[in-house]
Amino acid sequence: MSGELIVVIEDEPDLREIVAYNLEREGFRVQTAADGRQGLELVRRLRPELVVLDLMLPGLDGIEICRALVSDPATRTSRIVMLTAKSDESDVVLGLGLGADDYVTKPFGTKELIARVRAVLRRGPRRDANEPGAERLVREGVVIDPDRHEVTVDGEPVHFTAAELRLLHHLAAQPGRVFTRAQLIPRISGEDAVVTERTVDAHVRALRKKLGRWRELIETVRGVGYRFRDRRR
Ligand code: CA
Protein backbone atom coordinates (compact mmCIF):
# COMPACT_ATOMS: atom_id res chain seq x y z
CA MET A 1 0.00 0.00 0.00
CA SER A 2 1.62 3.17 -1.19
CA GLY A 3 -0.78 5.65 0.40
CA GLU A 4 -0.15 8.58 -1.87
CA LEU A 5 -2.85 11.25 -1.81
CA ILE A 6 -4.88 11.69 -4.99
CA VAL A 7 -7.49 14.37 -5.64
CA VAL A 8 -10.15 13.38 -8.19
CA ILE A 9 -11.92 16.29 -9.90
CA GLU A 10 -14.87 14.96 -11.87
CA ASP A 11 -18.43 16.29 -12.14
CA GLU A 12 -20.13 13.01 -13.15
CA PRO A 13 -21.09 11.41 -9.82
CA ASP A 14 -20.97 7.78 -10.99
CA LEU A 15 -17.59 8.11 -12.61
CA ARG A 16 -16.21 10.07 -9.66
CA GLU A 17 -17.30 7.32 -7.33
CA ILE A 18 -15.92 4.49 -9.46
CA VAL A 19 -12.56 6.19 -9.87
CA ALA A 20 -12.30 7.03 -6.16
CA TYR A 21 -13.37 3.53 -5.14
CA ASN A 22 -10.82 1.84 -7.38
CA LEU A 23 -7.97 4.12 -6.38
CA GLU A 24 -8.75 3.54 -2.71
CA ARG A 25 -8.84 -0.19 -3.27
CA GLU A 26 -5.30 0.13 -4.64
CA GLY A 27 -4.22 1.70 -1.38
CA PHE A 28 -4.26 5.37 -2.35
CA ARG A 29 -5.84 8.04 -0.18
CA VAL A 30 -8.49 9.84 -2.20
CA GLN A 31 -10.34 13.14 -1.93
CA THR A 32 -12.92 14.17 -4.50
CA ALA A 33 -14.37 17.38 -5.89
CA ALA A 34 -17.42 17.77 -8.12
CA ASP A 35 -16.51 21.02 -9.80
CA GLY A 36 -13.50 23.04 -10.84
CA ARG A 37 -13.42 25.66 -8.14
CA GLN A 38 -13.84 23.17 -5.34
CA GLY A 39 -11.18 20.98 -6.94
CA LEU A 40 -8.67 23.79 -7.22
CA GLU A 41 -9.26 24.75 -3.61
CA LEU A 42 -8.79 21.15 -2.52
CA VAL A 43 -5.50 20.74 -4.37
CA ARG A 44 -4.16 24.02 -2.96
CA ARG A 45 -5.04 22.93 0.53
CA LEU A 46 -4.04 19.26 0.44
CA ARG A 47 -1.17 19.30 -2.06
CA PRO A 48 -1.75 15.76 -3.30
CA GLU A 49 0.90 13.74 -5.08
CA LEU A 50 -1.45 13.49 -8.06
CA VAL A 51 -4.63 15.00 -9.48
CA VAL A 52 -7.07 13.07 -11.68
CA LEU A 53 -8.59 15.91 -13.62
CA ASP A 54 -11.64 15.78 -15.86
CA LEU A 55 -11.31 18.32 -18.66
CA MET A 56 -15.03 19.03 -19.11
CA LEU A 57 -16.17 20.60 -15.86
CA PRO A 58 -18.81 23.19 -15.04
CA GLY A 59 -17.52 26.59 -13.99
CA LEU A 60 -13.78 26.34 -14.17
CA ASP A 61 -12.78 23.79 -16.82
CA GLY A 62 -9.91 21.31 -16.65
CA ILE A 63 -7.56 23.35 -18.82
CA GLU A 64 -7.97 26.40 -16.62
CA ILE A 65 -7.33 24.26 -13.56
CA CYS A 66 -4.28 22.71 -15.18
CA ARG A 67 -2.90 26.15 -15.97
CA ALA A 68 -3.56 27.37 -12.43
CA LEU A 69 -1.95 24.32 -10.80
CA VAL A 70 1.18 24.29 -12.92
CA SER A 71 1.80 28.03 -12.64
CA ASP A 72 1.51 28.12 -8.85
CA PRO A 73 4.70 27.12 -6.98
CA ALA A 74 2.51 25.78 -4.19
CA THR A 75 0.78 23.21 -6.42
CA ARG A 76 3.09 22.60 -9.33
CA THR A 77 4.70 19.54 -7.79
CA SER A 78 1.37 17.67 -8.01
CA ARG A 79 1.27 15.34 -11.00
CA ILE A 80 -1.76 15.56 -13.28
CA VAL A 81 -3.59 12.82 -15.20
CA MET A 82 -6.39 14.21 -17.37
CA LEU A 83 -9.66 12.45 -18.15
CA THR A 84 -10.92 13.34 -21.60
CA ALA A 85 -13.61 12.59 -24.13
CA LYS A 86 -12.44 11.66 -27.63
CA SER A 87 -13.67 15.04 -28.84
CA ASP A 88 -11.31 16.83 -26.43
CA GLU A 89 -8.18 16.11 -28.47
CA SER A 90 -7.10 19.72 -28.85
CA ASP A 91 -7.55 20.19 -25.11
CA VAL A 92 -5.35 17.16 -24.45
CA VAL A 93 -2.59 18.73 -26.51
CA LEU A 94 -3.07 22.01 -24.68
CA GLY A 95 -3.07 20.30 -21.28
CA LEU A 96 0.09 18.32 -21.99
CA GLY A 97 1.71 21.50 -23.26
CA LEU A 98 0.83 23.22 -20.01
CA GLY A 99 2.48 20.44 -18.05
CA ALA A 100 -0.12 17.73 -17.41
CA ASP A 101 1.63 14.36 -17.23
CA ASP A 102 -0.72 11.99 -19.03
CA TYR A 103 -4.33 11.42 -20.03
CA VAL A 104 -6.91 8.68 -20.32
CA THR A 105 -9.70 8.81 -22.88
CA LYS A 106 -13.27 8.02 -21.83
CA PRO A 107 -14.59 5.39 -21.70
CA PHE A 108 -11.62 3.79 -19.97
CA GLY A 109 -11.11 0.73 -17.83
CA THR A 110 -10.11 1.28 -14.22
CA LYS A 111 -7.07 -0.95 -14.75
CA GLU A 112 -5.87 1.38 -17.47
CA LEU A 113 -6.35 4.46 -15.29
CA ILE A 114 -4.53 2.86 -12.36
CA ALA A 115 -1.65 1.81 -14.59
CA ARG A 116 -1.29 5.40 -15.82
CA VAL A 117 -1.52 6.80 -12.30
CA ARG A 118 1.16 4.44 -11.05
CA ALA A 119 3.43 5.21 -13.99
CA VAL A 120 3.11 8.95 -13.42
CA LEU A 121 3.67 8.64 -9.66
CA ARG A 122 6.90 6.74 -10.30
CA ARG A 123 8.32 9.97 -11.74
CA GLY A 124 8.09 11.54 -8.27
CA PRO A 125 7.10 15.14 -7.59
CA ARG A 126 7.44 17.54 -10.46
CA ARG A 127 10.60 19.60 -10.22
CA ASP A 128 10.91 22.91 -11.90
CA ALA A 129 14.19 24.58 -12.77
CA ASN A 130 12.84 27.91 -11.54
CA GLU A 131 11.66 26.47 -8.27
CA PRO A 132 14.36 26.72 -5.63
CA GLY A 133 12.67 23.74 -3.91
CA ALA A 134 15.57 21.39 -3.45
CA GLU A 135 18.50 23.77 -3.40
CA ARG A 136 20.72 23.60 -0.32
CA LEU A 137 21.13 27.10 1.11
CA VAL A 138 23.85 28.47 3.36
CA ARG A 139 22.96 31.75 5.08
CA GLU A 140 25.38 32.98 7.73
CA GLY A 141 25.39 30.22 10.38
CA VAL A 142 22.28 28.54 9.02
CA VAL A 143 22.31 25.67 6.52
CA ILE A 144 19.00 24.57 5.01
CA ASP A 145 18.93 21.25 3.18
CA PRO A 146 15.40 20.46 1.97
CA ASP A 147 16.35 17.17 0.28
CA ARG A 148 17.63 15.76 3.55
CA HIS A 149 15.01 17.67 5.53
CA GLU A 150 17.74 19.10 7.70
CA VAL A 151 18.54 22.50 9.15
CA THR A 152 21.68 23.21 11.12
CA VAL A 153 22.29 26.33 13.19
CA ASP A 154 25.98 26.95 13.85
CA GLY A 155 26.59 23.34 12.90
CA GLU A 156 23.99 21.91 15.30
CA PRO A 157 20.97 20.10 13.79
CA VAL A 158 17.70 21.77 14.82
CA HIS A 159 14.33 20.14 14.24
CA PHE A 160 12.01 22.03 11.89
CA THR A 161 8.55 20.83 10.86
CA ALA A 162 7.97 20.35 7.13
CA ALA A 163 5.97 23.60 6.97
CA GLU A 164 8.64 25.54 8.89
CA LEU A 165 11.35 24.23 6.64
CA ARG A 166 9.41 25.18 3.49
CA LEU A 167 8.76 28.66 4.86
CA LEU A 168 12.36 29.22 5.92
CA HIS A 169 13.69 27.94 2.63
CA HIS A 170 11.30 30.10 0.63
CA LEU A 171 12.35 33.25 2.46
CA ALA A 172 16.05 32.41 2.45
CA ALA A 173 16.08 31.54 -1.25
CA GLN A 174 15.33 35.16 -2.11
CA PRO A 175 17.07 37.44 0.37
CA GLY A 176 15.79 40.99 0.40
CA ARG A 177 12.52 40.14 -1.29
CA VAL A 178 9.48 41.18 0.73
CA PHE A 179 6.66 38.64 0.99
CA THR A 180 3.19 39.46 2.20
CA ARG A 181 1.61 37.08 4.67
CA ALA A 182 -0.88 36.03 1.99
CA GLN A 183 1.99 35.07 -0.31
CA LEU A 184 3.53 32.92 2.41
CA ILE A 185 0.35 30.99 3.22
CA PRO A 186 0.86 28.44 0.42
CA ARG A 187 4.32 27.64 1.86
CA ILE A 188 2.92 26.36 5.10
CA SER A 189 -0.38 24.86 4.03
CA GLY A 190 -0.53 21.22 3.08
CA GLU A 191 -1.08 19.62 6.44
CA ASP A 192 -4.87 19.83 6.11
CA ALA A 193 -5.17 22.64 8.66
CA VAL A 194 -6.67 25.95 7.63
CA VAL A 195 -3.89 28.51 7.33
CA THR A 196 -4.48 32.18 8.01
CA GLU A 197 -2.19 35.19 8.11
CA ARG A 198 -1.97 34.71 11.88
CA THR A 199 -0.67 31.20 11.28
CA VAL A 200 2.10 32.73 9.19
CA ASP A 201 3.05 34.99 12.11
CA ALA A 202 3.07 32.01 14.46
CA HIS A 203 5.34 30.08 12.10
CA VAL A 204 7.72 33.02 11.80
CA ARG A 205 7.91 33.24 15.60
CA ALA A 206 8.74 29.53 15.71
CA LEU A 207 11.43 29.97 13.04
CA ARG A 208 13.06 32.82 14.90
CA LYS A 209 13.12 30.87 18.13
CA LYS A 210 14.81 27.95 16.42
CA LEU A 211 17.30 30.17 14.62
CA GLY A 212 18.58 31.42 17.98
CA ARG A 213 21.28 34.05 17.50
CA TRP A 214 20.41 34.18 13.80
CA ARG A 215 16.79 35.11 14.48
CA GLU A 216 17.27 38.55 12.99
CA LEU A 217 17.84 37.02 9.58
CA ILE A 218 14.05 37.09 9.25
CA GLU A 219 13.01 40.71 9.23
CA THR A 220 9.53 42.07 9.78
CA VAL A 221 8.49 44.62 7.19
CA ARG A 222 5.98 46.66 9.09
CA GLY A 223 2.49 46.64 7.60
CA VAL A 224 3.57 44.36 4.76
CA GLY A 225 5.09 41.05 5.77
CA TYR A 226 8.52 39.48 6.04
CA ARG A 227 11.84 39.25 4.26
CA PHE A 228 15.09 37.41 4.70
CA ARG A 229 18.01 39.74 5.43
CA ASP A 230 20.09 40.59 2.41
CA ARG A 231 23.72 41.07 3.44
CA ARG A 232 24.44 43.11 0.37
CA ARG A 233 22.11 45.88 1.44
CA1 CA B 1 -17.19 16.08 -17.09
Side-chain angles (χ1 to χ4, degrees):
M1 296 281 162
S2 37
E4 285 105 330
L5 179 62
I6 298 179
V7 166
V8 177
I9 310 176
E10 165 64 70
D11 57 315
E12 292 164 52
D14 290 352
L15 189 55
R16 187 170 66 239
E17 213 166 287
I18 289 168
V19 168
Y21 171 78
N22 281 281
L23 289 170
E24 275 172 352
R25 216 175 51 166
E26 292 292 313
F28 297 108
R29 291 176 296 137
V30 180
Q31 294 282 326
T32 62
D35 68 62
R37 267 173 226 293
Q38 191 196 346
L40 194 54
E41 199 272 326
L42 207 55
V43 176
R44 284 183 173 144
R45 187 155 55 84
L46 301 179
R47 300 208 198 178
E49 274 82 12
L50 187 137
V51 182
V52 173
L53 175 63
D54 183 28
L55 287 189
M56 289 283 282
L57 291 165
L60 206 57
D61 75 29
I63 290 299
E64 289 172 271
I65 294 171
C66 196
R67 185 177 281 125
L69 293 181
V70 172
S71 64
D72 182 348
T75 53
R76 72 160 65 114
T77 55
S78 294
R79 296 287 185 179
I80 301 170
V81 173
M82 302 180 286
L83 303 182
T84 76
K86 273 217 161 57
S87 55
D88 292 342
E89 265 175 6
S90 61
D91 277 348
V92 168
V93 172
L94 193 54
L96 293 173
L98 286 171
D101 298 280
D102 205 349
Y103 68 98
V104 180
T105 306
K106 294 177 186 177
F108 54 83
T110 49
K111 273 188 184 158
E112 185 191 357
L113 175 65
I114 283 160
R116 299 293 180 89
V117 163
R118 287 204 184 284
V120 167
L121 283 172
R122 274 196 293 274
R123 299 177 196 168
R126 194 199 317 276
R127 293 266 168 108
D128 190 297
N130 299 321
E131 170 76 358
E135 189 192 354
R136 184 173 173 273
L137 299 175
V138 181
R139 298 284 182 263
E140 313 279 344
V142 181
V143 178
I144 310 156
D145 192 333
D147 271 353
R148 301 174 62 179
H149 190 88
E150 192 178 85
V151 178
T152 60
V153 178
D154 292 327
E156 292 293 318
V158 177
H159 175 75
F160 281 68
T161 67
E164 287 167 355
L165 193 142
R166 283 200 299 270
L167 180 62
L168 176 65
H169 189 276
H170 191 64
L171 289 164
Q174 299 172 81
R177 178 173 163 189
V178 180
F179 294 95
T180 65
R181 290 173 177 80
Q183 282 176 311
L184 295 174
I185 286 175
R187 295 294 128 201
I188 56 181
S189 52
E191 272 103 52
D192 296 31
V194 176
V195 175
T196 65
E197 300 197 352
R198 283 181 153 205
T199 321
V200 174
D201 293 336
H203 275 75
V204 168
R205 276 198 299 279
L207 289 186
R208 284 178 171 151
K209 198 169 174 194
K210 292 178 180 184
L211 291 174
R213 72 185 186 102
W214 298 108
R215 60 191 301 125
E216 281 163 21
L217 285 174
I218 300 177
E219 300 173 333
T220 301
V221 183
R222 198 170 284 276
V224 182
Y226 298 101
R227 80 175 155 226
F228 202 86
R229 191 167 78 199
D230 186 352
R231 293 170 64 194
R232 293 163 302 181
R233 284 147 45 102

